[in-house]
Amino acid sequence: MTDVRKAPYYRLQKSLFGSELREFKAAKGCIPLDTPKGVSLERPAPGAKQPLSPTPPAAAATVKKAAQRPRPEQVPKSGQTKTRQLLMQLDAEVCENPPIFDLQDVPDAMDKLGWPVSAKLARMWFAGLAHTYDDRPSSEQPLNDRDVTLEWALKFGRVRKKYEGFLAKDIYSERAIGAATEAVKAFVRRAFEDRNSVLSFNTSTFLVDLRKFHVDWQFQKLLISDRDTFDALTLTDLTGSLANFNIYAAIGNVEVATEKYFRYERGSTRYCLNATGRITHIYVYVKDNYSFNGNQYLGHWNKHGIIIAPGSWLTGSRSSKRDSDIDVWVKALHKPVDTRRALFGKFKEPDVYFPVFNDDYNRWREKHQRGGDFMVYSKPLYLKLKKAIDLKLGEICRLEPLNSLA
């Protein structure tokens, strides 16, 4: 029988200096498995007491049909069919009963990788009532502001370096000043129209509603990509929990100065201000949505950890560019694989990894009526700026009675 073509892969493993993403290729590559079984969705949801409903007839028929698929040696060896048999032997090895891996094993694997925050957020998702994020950044969603902190996020990869550049430069950009000016002017106008004598303000009182605070007061954001979360070339707990996310700057404390005067017009008097503002303090925080929209590849998992296909978003520039490797993974990405690290034996539980996609989480949610997407916020950190942000608020007027003296 023709040997199965092995696929290169990356595995996260511990080293003397922490962890590293190590490449395995050629003879050390993994073997794609031709099997009707994938990641299991059968384990009851957290806290569920009743056994799961049986597999729907349509799905059962699909599984049965896949299980009855002829092995390569069972295909008649003649003509074009023989050619197809050879291709099947090259692409994957038949495995009728691979080890069981349930989607709810992913958080346990995260724990073993040393990713406690990733594991905690994953378990929160499985335990939550079914809810799908609607992709509107300002919409109301379940919220977690306990498990991620800005200080924690800054420990990984290039996040701190980008954050320092954000505070030194980005918050002073023309766009940022324009957004801050608009928010401050709207607030000062309302306060002035309500006849408040003090127009300087601090936004700390608005922190009770983080969603609304974000909508009203953020004025600049910093995009953190998944590659920024890597330590050297290694995935981290930040990669596993948030991957791509934003750090935001929001207005904290504003000192307002004004020149006051009356503007007399036909039949009316307006009391006006020529106002300037100075932002002396800001809030900075992490914000992301924990959801599974789309069908993104999330790696191959088992109960012990993760391996990654070259060319995926997780390997980036480290991915192999060889046409033969790409060809193997085009056909194998949706298949379990066997890494066979031992000298003898195959289909062993520690060696077999299952592909996990966003769609697996969506199917799990539909099956169990659990699985709640949510927003992740870090608690906003209050910072005094080394250089204040000066704002020109311009003229603000309110209508006054004709006999008003101010």
Side-chain angles (χ1 to χ4, degrees):
M1 179 179 291
T2 305
D3 290 336
V4 176
R5 293 169 62 184
K6 292 188 176 181
Y9 67 94
Y10 292 93
R11 184 169 73 236
L12 188 65
Q13 61 184 43
K14 295 182 179 180
S15 68
L16 294 175
F17 304 100
S19 296
E20 63 178 358
L21 198 61
R22 182 180 173 188
E23 184 180 17
F24 293 81
K25 57 185 178 180
K28 295 183 178 180
C30 61
I31 297 175
L33 301 180
D34 186 19
T35 175
K37 298 181 180 180
V39 61
S40 169
L41 309 179
E42 298 304 311
R43 185 184 303 169
K49 297 180 180 180
Q50 297 298 324
L52 299 177
S53 58
T55 304
T62 301
V63 172
K64 182 178 180 181
K65 184 178 180 181
Q68 294 174 346
R69 187 168 43 206
R71 295 186 182 186
E73 62 267 27
Q74 294 173 331
V75 180
K77 299 181 179 180
S78 61
Q80 188 177 8
T81 305
K82 183 176 180 180
T83 302
R84 290 178 180 173
Q85 173 207 3
L86 179 61
L87 290 175
M88 183 176 292
Q89 290 173 337
L90 287 170
D91 292 340
E93 179 176 336
V94 172
C95 176
E96 293 184 354
N97 293 299
I100 295 175
F101 175 72
D102 193 90
L103 190 62
Q104 291 184 78
D105 289 324
V106 170
D108 294 337
M110 289 174 167
D111 277 330
K112 292 178 181 178
L113 290 170
W115 295 1
V117 175
S118 298
K120 185 176 291 187
L121 296 181
R123 291 189 177 103
M124 177 179 173
W125 186 90
F126 281 115
L129 296 177
H131 174 75
T132 303
Y133 178 66
D134 66 3
D135 284 335
R136 290 186 300 118
S138 62
S139 61
E140 294 191 29
Q141 304 287 333
L143 186 148
N144 180 324
D145 64 351
R146 304 179 305 275
D147 296 316
V148 171
T149 68
L150 177 62
E151 294 88 342
W152 173 78
L154 294 177
K155 296 177 181 179
F156 297 95
R158 299 192 300 154
V159 178
R160 180 174 292 278
K161 182 177 180 180
K162 294 190 69 172
Y163 170 75
E164 290 173 350
F166 177 67
L167 294 182
K169 182 179 179 181
D170 294 355
I171 63 173
Y172 300 97
S173 71
E174 182 178 346
R175 177 199 171 281
I177 291 175
T181 299
E182 184 178 342
V184 170
K185 187 171 183 176
F187 183 86
V188 171
R189 177 182 286 112
R190 290 193 298 269
F192 182 57
E193 290 175 349
D194 290 341
R195 287 172 163 70
N196 290 328
S197 58
V198 178
L199 300 178
S200 297
F201 64 96
N202 189 288
T203 61
S204 58
T205 56
F206 303 113
L207 290 172
V208 292
D209 185 342
L210 282 180
R211 185 200 68 86
K212 191 172 189 310
F213 175 85
H214 170 77
V215 171
D216 292 343
W217 298 111
Q218 67 87 13
F219 66 95
Q220 184 59 295
K221 69 178 180 180
L222 171 66
L223 174 63
I224 303 296
S225 72
D226 53 87
R227 297 295 296 175
D228 296 324
T229 68
F230 287 18
D231 282 341
L233 296 172
T234 302
L235 282 69
T236 66
D237 195 9
L238 184 57
T239 315
S241 56
L242 301 184
N244 300 297
F245 64 94
N246 293 321
I247 295 176
Y248 287 89
I251 295 165
N253 188 75
V254 183
E255 298 173 354
V256 178
T258 63
E259 294 180 2
K260 303 176 182 179
Y261 53 92
F262 287 98
R263 183 182 293 281
Y264 299 98
E265 300 175 351
R266 292 182 181 180
S268 65
T269 301
R270 294 183 177 276
Y271 184 35
C272 298
L273 306 174
N274 186 16
T276 59
R278 169 166 284 200
I279 300 175
T280 61
H281 296 70
I282 62 172
Y283 284 101
V284 286
Y285 53 95
V286 169
K287 176 180 177 290
D288 191 26
N289 57 291
Y290 194 93
S291 64
F292 295 95
N293 294 347
N295 194 26
Q296 186 177 26
Y297 170 68
L298 303 176
H300 276 64
W301 291 83
N302 69 12
K303 297 177 182 179
H304 306 278
I306 182 175
I307 67 170
I308 304 158
S312 69
W313 67 277
L314 292 169
T315 58
S317 60
R318 283 174 57 87
S319 63
S320 173
K321 301 301 181 183
R322 296 189 299 273
D323 290 341
S324 59
D325 292 344
I326 295 172
D327 180 61
V328 170
W329 274 109
V330 164
K331 300 172 183 177
L333 191 63
H334 289 77
K335 297 178 180 292
V337 297
D338 188 346
T339 59
R340 292 187 188 170
R341 287 174 281 174
L343 293 176
F344 302 99
K346 55 185 180 180
F347 311 143
K348 291 184 176 181
E349 188 268 339
D351 296 337
V352 176
Y353 291 79
F354 292 80
V356 177
F357 293 84
N358 277 0
D359 191 53
D360 293 312
Y361 286 86
N362 293 319
R363 291 188 299 112
W364 188 94
R365 172 165 43 207
E366 183 177 358
K367 181 180 181 68
H368 295 274
Q369 292 304 299
R370 301 285 283 276
D373 295 349
F374 55 90
M375 298 302 302
V376 175
Y377 283 83
S378 67
K379 290 189 180 298
L381 179 66
Y382 191 59
L383 293 179
K384 182 178 181 180
L385 295 176
K386 295 180 179 179
K387 182 179 73 171
I389 301 175
D390 292 320
L391 311 174
K392 295 180 180 179
L393 304 179
E395 185 178 69
I396 302 173
C397 298
R398 72 185 185 211
L399 190 63
E400 290 290 297
L402 291 176
N403 61 350
S404 174
L405 296 178

